Amino acid sequence: MSETRRVRSIARKIGNSWTMRTLGILLALDIALIALTFAGCAYFWERSVSGDGWSLELPRDVEWEEPRSVSTLGRIEYSFQSPDGVWHTAAIGPALEAALPFAAALGAFEAVLLLFHAAQAHRAAQKLLRPLDRMARDMRAVSQARAGDARYEDRLRDLENAIEHISPTQPGERLQTGARELTGLENAVNGLLVRMRESYRQQAQFVSDASHELRTPIAVIQGYAHLLARWGKDDSQVLDESIAAIQSESDYMKKLVEELLFLARGEIGRNPFEPKPISLTALIREVCDESAMIDSAHQWRFRDTRSAGEARIIADAEMLKQCARVLCENAQKYTPEGGTISLGVAECGKWTEFFVQDEGIGIGRKDISHIFDRFYRSDPARGRNSGGSGLGLAIANWIVERHGGSFDVVSVEGAGTRFTVRLPTAGPDASPTAQEAQ
């Protein structure tokens, strides 16, 4: 039985007890009223007959024929003997019959009074028991809380032990205590473990790839240094070839180290970032003109699909120009000579876009999701001489994300690739601070 139902049952019993006591009092009062009424009537009748000779010792008698039947109330007679020895008889039955309606009315009133008292007694008992019930519930809650705290401490101890024995680098290892109340915490820790393992994997892959990329130019420089030491002193052709190779490899190493430092500083927030209101149209047109001057083997075109004016954004101009140059270098490497490379600016709702589209070999569907990974090359046959270090798109992606933008890549193998960069459009009263907040 629940605590509320138990309290109600006890309150009902107490109320019933009070009601029965009230019923007993009313019955006693009714009997006393009848007795007093009869005694008063008899006294006044006897007094009127006996006068001064009346006394309590006078002989008296009550006769009721067939007392088992209520219908014979009219046959009740009261008789007494006066001091002169004469018996006097009076019929009191008619008086009782006349009083029956008043008795019924009194009974109905008492019944209503009794019902009202029963309801009041039940409520009063509940009110009386309420503080005790509240105290009992509070004590029970305290007891349960203590028991719950003990169980919770045990669960936390189990969780601590489970976490202590987990290796974040061990693949497939998960936190599992079996406690249902700790399921949410277990899922959060397991999710953190998955992200940590992925971060470790990417870090190990990054170190491995960086070591591999640096090992090649070091080996080349070392080889030509040995070549110079043996024959380069007397052979001008070997000397020139060695110097050219060493310069090329040192330039590549310098570029690679600079790109690695850029990404490393970006991860710890050390790259200077100075957003200002700029014209994206002018910036992309400038990159297109510079590319056309440097590269005469391809046709460079600029397109502005906007209706009027210049596309204005809030951005770090140098960083955004670096991003556009990376995309242009990529297009140049993978587009055959004589092919067309298009740069352009467009608008899409609250975003301003610029794109670089080539007529190159395209990117396979399985490779598109990895093109922004560091040291990733979609074409393994292309070495660093033709395919670059594999860090350019990773740098471009970091720059776009730093500006609150995103990439959209569409590629068809054998037809070409289109890189689209979406950046937030600057309002008429935009400021660099507001852009950084985005």
Side-chain angles (χ1 to χ4, degrees), residues 406-423:
S406 62
F407 265 101
D408 182 31
V409 182
V410 178
S411 184
V412 178
E413 291 187 79
T417 303
R418 179 187 179 105
F419 283 87
T420 302
V421 176
R422 289 195 177 97
L423 300 168

PDB file of all heavy atoms in Angstrom, residues 406-423:
ATOM      1  N   SER A 406      33.258  27.955 -46.048  1.00  0.00           N
ATOM      2  CA  SER A 406      33.272  26.518 -46.340  1.00  0.00           C
ATOM      3  C   SER A 406      33.631  26.291 -47.804  1.00  0.00           C
ATOM      4  O   SER A 406      33.535  27.211 -48.634  1.00  0.00           O
ATOM      5  CB  SER A 406      31.913  25.891 -46.038  1.00  0.00           C
ATOM      6  OG  SER A 406      30.908  26.464 -46.857  1.00  0.00           O
ATOM      7  N   PHE A 407      34.003  25.060 -48.119  1.00  0.00           N
ATOM      8  CA  PHE A 407      34.357  24.642 -49.476  1.00  0.00           C
ATOM      9  C   PHE A 407      33.220  23.838 -50.089  1.00  0.00           C
ATOM     10  O   PHE A 407      32.498  23.130 -49.393  1.00  0.00           O
ATOM     11  CB  PHE A 407      35.614  23.765 -49.455  1.00  0.00           C
ATOM     12  CG  PHE A 407      36.893  24.514 -49.709  1.00  0.00           C
ATOM     13  CD1 PHE A 407      37.724  24.868 -48.665  1.00  0.00           C
ATOM     14  CD2 PHE A 407      37.248  24.863 -51.008  1.00  0.00           C
ATOM     15  CE1 PHE A 407      38.904  25.548 -48.897  1.00  0.00           C
ATOM     16  CE2 PHE A 407      38.431  25.540 -51.256  1.00  0.00           C
ATOM     17  CZ  PHE A 407      39.261  25.883 -50.199  1.00  0.00           C
ATOM     18  N   ASP A 408      33.095  23.959 -51.396  1.00  0.00           N
ATOM     19  CA  ASP A 408      32.220  23.091 -52.168  1.00  0.00           C
ATOM     20  C   ASP A 408      33.023  22.630 -53.384  1.00  0.00           C
ATOM     21  O   ASP A 408      33.514  23.463 -54.158  1.00  0.00           O
ATOM     22  CB  ASP A 408      30.946  23.820 -52.600  1.00  0.00           C
ATOM     23  CG  ASP A 408      30.004  22.908 -53.370  1.00  0.00           C
ATOM     24  OD1 ASP A 408      29.998  21.697 -53.085  1.00  0.00           O
ATOM     25  OD2 ASP A 408      29.291  23.410 -54.265  1.00  0.00           O
ATOM     26  N   VAL A 409      33.175  21.306 -53.524  1.00  0.00           N
ATOM     27  CA  VAL A 409      34.011  20.754 -54.592  1.00  0.00           C
ATOM     28  C   VAL A 409      33.149  19.905 -55.513  1.00  0.00           C
ATOM     29  O   VAL A 409      32.435  19.005 -55.055  1.00  0.00           O
ATOM     30  CB  VAL A 409      35.157  19.902 -54.006  1.00  0.00           C
ATOM     31  CG1 VAL A 409      36.048  19.386 -55.131  1.00  0.00           C
ATOM     32  CG2 VAL A 409      35.969  20.702 -52.994  1.00  0.00           C
ATOM     33  N   VAL A 410      33.216  20.220 -56.811  1.00  0.00           N
ATOM     34  CA  VAL A 410      32.523  19.426 -57.835  1.00  0.00           C
ATOM     35  C   VAL A 410      33.576  19.003 -58.852  1.00  0.00           C
ATOM     36  O   VAL A 410      34.304  19.845 -59.384  1.00  0.00           O
ATOM     37  CB  VAL A 410      31.402  20.226 -58.519  1.00  0.00           C
ATOM     38  CG1 VAL A 410      30.741  19.384 -59.608  1.00  0.00           C
ATOM     39  CG2 VAL A 410      30.369  20.683 -57.490  1.00  0.00           C
ATOM     40  N   SER A 411      33.654  17.695 -59.109  1.00  0.00           N
ATOM     41  CA  SER A 411      34.690  17.207 -60.024  1.00  0.00           C
ATOM     42  C   SER A 411      34.148  16.062 -60.864  1.00  0.00           C
ATOM     43  O   SER A 411      33.375  15.230 -60.382  1.00  0.00           O
ATOM     44  CB  SER A 411      35.915  16.738 -59.224  1.00  0.00           C
ATOM     45  OG  SER A 411      36.954  16.348 -60.096  1.00  0.00           O
ATOM     46  N   VAL A 412      34.566  16.058 -62.138  1.00  0.00           N
ATOM     47  CA  VAL A 412      34.237  14.973 -63.066  1.00  0.00           C
ATOM     48  C   VAL A 412      35.549  14.479 -63.652  1.00  0.00           C
ATOM     49  O   VAL A 412      36.307  15.269 -64.246  1.00  0.00           O
ATOM     50  CB  VAL A 412      33.287  15.451 -64.178  1.00  0.00           C
ATOM     51  CG1 VAL A 412      33.005  14.309 -65.152  1.00  0.00           C
ATOM     52  CG2 VAL A 412      31.991  15.985 -63.580  1.00  0.00           C
ATOM     53  N   GLU A 413      35.830  13.210 -63.468  1.00  0.00           N
ATOM     54  CA  GLU A 413      37.088  12.665 -63.966  1.00  0.00           C
ATOM     55  C   GLU A 413      37.183  12.817 -65.488  1.00  0.00           C
ATOM     56  O   GLU A 413      36.260  12.479 -66.226  1.00  0.00           O
ATOM     57  CB  GLU A 413      37.207  11.191 -63.591  1.00  0.00           C
ATOM     58  CG  GLU A 413      37.391  10.978 -62.087  1.00  0.00           C
ATOM     59  CD  GLU A 413      37.674   9.533 -61.744  1.00  0.00           C
ATOM     60  OE1 GLU A 413      38.835   9.097 -61.906  1.00  0.00           O
ATOM     61  OE2 GLU A 413      36.737   8.838 -61.332  1.00  0.00           O
ATOM     62  N   GLY A 414      38.315  13.377 -65.909  1.00  0.00           N
ATOM     63  CA  GLY A 414      38.535  13.602 -67.327  1.00  0.00           C
ATOM     64  C   GLY A 414      37.965  14.904 -67.842  1.00  0.00           C
ATOM     65  O   GLY A 414      38.232  15.285 -68.986  1.00  0.00           O
ATOM     66  N   ALA A 415      37.167  15.619 -67.031  1.00  0.00           N
ATOM     67  CA  ALA A 415      36.549  16.877 -67.479  1.00  0.00           C
ATOM     68  C   ALA A 415      37.037  18.082 -66.699  1.00  0.00           C
ATOM     69  O   ALA A 415      37.114  19.190 -67.240  1.00  0.00           O
ATOM     70  CB  ALA A 415      35.022  16.776 -67.391  1.00  0.00           C
ATOM     71  N   GLY A 416      37.347  17.915 -65.423  1.00  0.00           N
ATOM     72  CA  GLY A 416      37.823  19.057 -64.654  1.00  0.00           C
ATOM     73  C   GLY A 416      37.218  19.119 -63.259  1.00  0.00           C
ATOM     74  O   GLY A 416      36.372  18.297 -62.874  1.00  0.00           O
ATOM     75  N   THR A 417      37.661  20.131 -62.516  1.00  0.00           N
ATOM     76  CA  THR A 417      37.252  20.297 -61.119  1.00  0.00           C
ATOM     77  C   THR A 417      36.921  21.765 -60.872  1.00  0.00           C
ATOM     78  O   THR A 417      37.564  22.665 -61.421  1.00  0.00           O
ATOM     79  CB  THR A 417      38.365  19.845 -60.160  1.00  0.00           C
ATOM     80  OG1 THR A 417      38.705  18.485 -60.454  1.00  0.00           O
ATOM     81  CG2 THR A 417      37.927  19.953 -58.709  1.00  0.00           C
ATOM     82  N   ARG A 418      35.931  21.981 -60.006  1.00  0.00           N
ATOM     83  CA  ARG A 418      35.542  23.350 -59.633  1.00  0.00           C
ATOM     84  C   ARG A 418      35.555  23.442 -58.105  1.00  0.00           C
ATOM     85  O   ARG A 418      34.806  22.746 -57.420  1.00  0.00           O
ATOM     86  CB  ARG A 418      34.150  23.693 -60.176  1.00  0.00           C
ATOM     87  CG  ARG A 418      33.658  25.097 -59.803  1.00  0.00           C
ATOM     88  CD  ARG A 418      32.217  25.256 -60.239  1.00  0.00           C
ATOM     89  NE  ARG A 418      31.665  26.561 -59.900  1.00  0.00           N
ATOM     90  CZ  ARG A 418      31.446  27.543 -60.741  1.00  0.00           C
ATOM     91  NH1 ARG A 418      31.748  27.362 -62.025  1.00  0.00           N
ATOM     92  NH2 ARG A 418      30.922  28.679 -60.361  1.00  0.00           N
ATOM     93  N   PHE A 419      36.444  24.292 -57.593  1.00  0.00           N
ATOM     94  CA  PHE A 419      36.501  24.589 -56.163  1.00  0.00           C
ATOM     95  C   PHE A 419      35.746  25.889 -55.915  1.00  0.00           C
ATOM     96  O   PHE A 419      36.077  26.922 -56.506  1.00  0.00           O
ATOM     97  CB  PHE A 419      37.951  24.750 -55.685  1.00  0.00           C
ATOM     98  CG  PHE A 419      38.688  23.448 -55.522  1.00  0.00           C
ATOM     99  CD1 PHE A 419      39.343  22.869 -56.606  1.00  0.00           C
ATOM    100  CD2 PHE A 419      38.718  22.800 -54.302  1.00  0.00           C
ATOM    101  CE1 PHE A 419      40.030  21.671 -56.466  1.00  0.00           C
ATOM    102  CE2 PHE A 419      39.411  21.609 -54.156  1.00  0.00           C
ATOM    103  CZ  PHE A 419      40.062  21.028 -55.230  1.00  0.00           C
ATOM    104  N   THR A 420      34.748  25.853 -55.035  1.00  0.00           N
ATOM    105  CA  THR A 420      33.981  27.052 -54.686  1.00  0.00           C
ATOM    106  C   THR A 420      34.168  27.343 -53.205  1.00  0.00           C
ATOM    107  O   THR A 420      33.998  26.447 -52.356  1.00  0.00           O
ATOM    108  CB  THR A 420      32.486  26.859 -54.981  1.00  0.00           C
ATOM    109  OG1 THR A 420      32.321  26.549 -56.375  1.00  0.00           O
ATOM    110  CG2 THR A 420      31.698  28.124 -54.652  1.00  0.00           C
ATOM    111  N   VAL A 421      34.517  28.578 -52.892  1.00  0.00           N
ATOM    112  CA  VAL A 421      34.710  29.006 -51.505  1.00  0.00           C
ATOM    113  C   VAL A 421      33.573  29.949 -51.136  1.00  0.00           C
ATOM    114  O   VAL A 421      33.365  30.977 -51.796  1.00  0.00           O
ATOM    115  CB  VAL A 421      36.067  29.711 -51.319  1.00  0.00           C
ATOM    116  CG1 VAL A 421      36.198  30.232 -49.892  1.00  0.00           C
ATOM    117  CG2 VAL A 421      37.208  28.756 -51.641  1.00  0.00           C
ATOM    118  N   ARG A 422      32.807  29.596 -50.087  1.00  0.00           N
ATOM    119  CA  ARG A 422      31.704  30.442 -49.610  1.00  0.00           C
ATOM    120  C   ARG A 422      32.158  31.192 -48.371  1.00  0.00           C
ATOM    121  O   ARG A 422      32.643  30.603 -47.410  1.00  0.00           O
ATOM    122  CB  ARG A 422      30.480  29.573 -49.274  1.00  0.00           C
ATOM    123  CG  ARG A 422      29.803  28.986 -50.495  1.00  0.00           C
ATOM    124  CD  ARG A 422      28.410  28.462 -50.120  1.00  0.00           C
ATOM    125  NE  ARG A 422      27.732  27.961 -51.304  1.00  0.00           N
ATOM    126  CZ  ARG A 422      27.697  26.693 -51.668  1.00  0.00           C
ATOM    127  NH1 ARG A 422      28.331  25.800 -50.941  1.00  0.00           N
ATOM    128  NH2 ARG A 422      27.046  26.302 -52.739  1.00  0.00           N
ATOM    129  N   LEU A 423      31.957  32.504 -48.405  1.00  0.00           N
ATOM    130  CA  LEU A 423      32.347  33.365 -47.289  1.00  0.00           C
ATOM    131  C   LEU A 423      31.166  34.251 -46.903  1.00  0.00           C
ATOM    132  O   LEU A 423      30.355  34.631 -47.752  1.00  0.00           O
ATOM    133  CB  LEU A 423      33.539  34.241 -47.684  1.00  0.00           C
ATOM    134  CG  LEU A 423      34.808  33.489 -48.090  1.00  0.00           C
ATOM    135  CD1 LEU A 423      35.790  34.457 -48.745  1.00  0.00           C
ATOM    136  CD2 LEU A 423      35.436  32.827 -46.876  1.00  0.00           C
TER     137      LEU A 423
END
